[in-house]
Amino acid sequence: MVYKTWWNSRLGTDLQKYRNLKSAAKRAVAAAKDQYYHSLYDQLDTPSGENNIYRLAKSRHRSTHGNGHVMHIKEADAKLLRDKHSILQRSTDYFHKISNTQFTHPPITSPDPTLGPVASITPGEEKLAIIKMKSGKATGPDDLPAEIWEMLGKPASEFLVKQ
């Protein structure tokens, strides 16, 4: 409520009141957490606390498994599966099916520019690419930065030595 009051009025006094209450709320949450953790550690120090530690470790381990959140899914025939083994088997079957099915591709009716031999790169295209290169970026396979090619002003193909 104090935040809404400050948002509507935009007065410094309302802002200060909001900040004070927000700070008090954070302190209260920190104190409650501190009290909870102290009681938890006191409980874990007891002889029965060892069982609680194992229980806590087990629940944390279970929470790391991603499939623990699915409670039920439907089978292909709309039958509801609830047990973990059936759900895992259904997922395995489904992904095996979609990963191994050969999809038919539509026939090519228009000429595709990517089919056939690839045209050579012209010196004009090379100059344009050098101009578009950003300074300070990663180098190419020749290990020369773009700044060197820009300073030389010639296409890279003129510098390549045929062996």
Side-chain angles (χ1 to χ4, degrees), residues 139-160:
T139 60
D142 57 6
D143 246 1
L144 297 174
E147 293 88 1
I148 290 179
W149 291 114
E150 289 174 3
M151 284 189 289
L152 293 173
K154 296 180 182 178
S157 58
E158 293 181 20
F159 293 101
L160 294 177

Side-chain angles (χ1 to χ4, degrees), residues 21 30 34 42 58 81 85 106 111 125 127 137:
L21 289 174
D34 186 49
D42 289 341
K58 233 175 164 179
L81 300 175
H85 179 72
E125 290 173 328
K127 284 181 184 178
K137 296 296 178 182

Side-chain angles (χ1 to χ4, degrees), residues 19-31:
R19 285 182 178 166
N20 291 341
L21 289 174
K22 184 177 176 183
S23 176
K26 284 185 176 184
R27 281 193 303 272
V29 167

Side-chain angles (χ1 to χ4, degrees), residues 31-45:
K33 276 185 173 180
D34 186 49
Q35 181 182 2
Y36 170 75
Y37 285 124
H38 277 298
S39 66
L40 176 67
Y41 289 131
D42 289 341
Q43 183 184 8
L44 293 177
D45 285 338

Side-chain angles (χ1 to χ4, degrees), residues 12 22 36 40-41 45 59 61 65 69 75 83-84 94 99 101-102 104 122 137 148 152 162-163:
K22 184 177 176 183
Y36 170 75
L40 176 67
Y41 289 131
D45 285 338
S59 70
H61 177 71
H65 297 294
H69 299 286
E75 183 66 70
D83 64 296
K84 189 176 180 178
Y94 174 74
S99 298
T101 302
Q102 184 69 27
T104 57
T122 64
K137 296 296 178 182
I148 290 179
L152 293 173
K162 293 185 180 180
Q163 296 178 359

